[in-house]
Amino acid sequence: MKKEVLCLGHVLYDSRNYIKEFPKKDKTAIVNNISCSVGGSATNTSIDLAILGMESRIVGSVGNDELGSFVLRNLKKYGVDVKYIKLGNGKTGHSTIVIDKNGDVKIYEYVGVSDNPLKPNKKMFAGVNHLHMSGYAIPTIKNFAEFGKNMGVQMSLDPGRFISHQGHEKMKAILKKIDYLFLNKHELLELYPHDDICDALENLGDIYDLSISVKLGSEGVMGYEKNNNKIYTVKKRNVKAVDTVGAGDSYDAGFLFYLLNGKSFKESLDFGNKVAAINVTCEGTHTIPHWKKVDSKLKSLERN
């Protein structure tokens, strides 16, 4: 059976600027390289799903401008369905990303029309097996979660730091409806403050009947599976990190790809971790291979 994922999130134009080190106050840093690409968390995930070999479509907004044209053109190039991207009356959202030699990152985001209100409909969901949401205005995410629940579609959310900062009580109408939650360690403890990460993971999963994946960066991945109340850990991959922007989005894509192809929760954690590890090894984004080549690609990159 064909699998297809509908992604909801910001659709952005990304400019990545690579420097030796961040400048001190009133000083200038020389940019060594610049790359431009499509960005936004759910948008990145939709592209990486397409690269891995799964059909995906994106719902969001861009402006009727040059940057919007660039974004649409490149999404189509990757094979992402863009017919539900709305042209807004304003400018396309734009992220300026600065990355130093250590891989540390600073991001400056102009939202533009990327957070414009959107309404779900049955045509958007036709043939869709899974709805993945990230970083949009909370009312829009809530509307899509309610619609997806009524449609009987499996759902996931990667809320990002801003939404996680609201705390789980303000998010409970959404958390009660989704099936999978993707967070990093900081976001987990913002959403559910606790002294112990394992307790926070298990308690949050129990309250909302959720399976949760926590991305720990260089430390690997931790996950809580609701069906058996078990916490899993996946070790880090021994690769040299060059550019970590978008690694979490690649992880989401890898996890969802394996999960929707019938793999176990633990196997999905591991595959997502592999895909993210490949993503961080070179400048730019969307550098992962087709799913059949993930293991061989990672083997060539891992250090002994």
Side-chain angles (χ1 to χ4, degrees), residues 161-224:
R161 183 167 295 185
F162 177 76
I163 294 178
S164 299
H165 184 68
Q166 308 295 312
H168 72 95
E169 287 288 346
K170 291 184 179 179
M171 292 293 295
K172 62 184 179 182
I174 296 170
L175 295 175
K176 287 180 178 179
K177 293 179 173 61
I178 63 173
D179 304 283
Y180 295 90
L181 183 62
F182 299 117
L183 303 163
N184 62 33
K185 182 179 179 179
H186 179 83
E187 291 161 355
L188 170 63
L189 298 178
E190 286 269 289
L191 195 63
Y192 190 87
H194 202 285
D195 293 334
D196 186 88
I197 186 173
C198 291
D199 286 347
L201 185 60
E202 188 171 359
N203 290 346
L204 189 62
D206 287 344
I207 291 170
Y208 296 104
D209 193 28
L210 279 171
S211 290
I212 307 173
S213 177
V214 182
K215 296 165 276 190
L216 303 174
S218 61
E219 298 176 28
V221 181
M222 182 180 289
Y224 172 76

Side-chain angles (χ1 to χ4, degrees), residues 20 46 276:
K20 184 177 180 180
S46 73

Side-chain angles (χ1 to χ4, degrees), residues 127-142:
V128 166
N129 306 96
H130 188 99
L131 169 64
H132 176 68
M133 302 172 286
S134 179
Y136 218 89
I138 290 177
T140 297
I141 292 176
K142 183 178 178 181

Side-chain angles (χ1 to χ4, degrees), residues 9 16 30 50 75 82 84 99-100 103 129 154 159 174 204 247 274 276:
R16 297 186 184 215
I30 300 300
L75 283 167
V82 301
Y84 295 109
I99 306 164
D100 74 0
N129 306 96
Q154 187 185 74
I174 296 170
L204 189 62
K274 290 178 180 180

Side-chain angles (χ1 to χ4, degrees), residues 75-140:
L75 283 167
K76 291 176 183 177
K77 181 184 74 174
Y78 286 112
V80 178
D81 185 344
V82 301
K83 64 174 169 285
Y84 295 109
I85 290 183
K86 185 178 178 180
L87 289 180
N89 185 22
K91 295 181 179 180
T92 297
H94 181 187
S95 288
T96 299
I97 303 165
V98 185
I99 306 164
D100 74 0
K101 65 180 180 180
N102 299 316
D104 292 328
V105 178
K106 292 185 178 180
I107 301 176
Y108 307 87
E109 184 172 321
Y110 170 72
V111 175
V113 302
S114 67
D115 213 34
N116 283 6
L118 296 169
K119 293 182 179 180
N121 60 59
K122 289 185 178 180
K123 287 185 178 180
M124 284 181 186
F125 282 78
V128 166
N129 306 96
H130 188 99
L131 169 64
H132 176 68
M133 302 172 286
S134 179
Y136 218 89
I138 290 177
T140 297

Side-chain angles (χ1 to χ4, degrees), residues 224-238:
Y224 172 76
E225 186 177 16
K226 65 180 181 180
N227 292 338
N228 60 15
N229 300 318
K230 187 173 182 179
I231 292 178
Y232 300 96
T233 58
V234 177
K235 69 177 182 178
K236 68 176 183 179
R237 311 304 304 204
N238 190 21

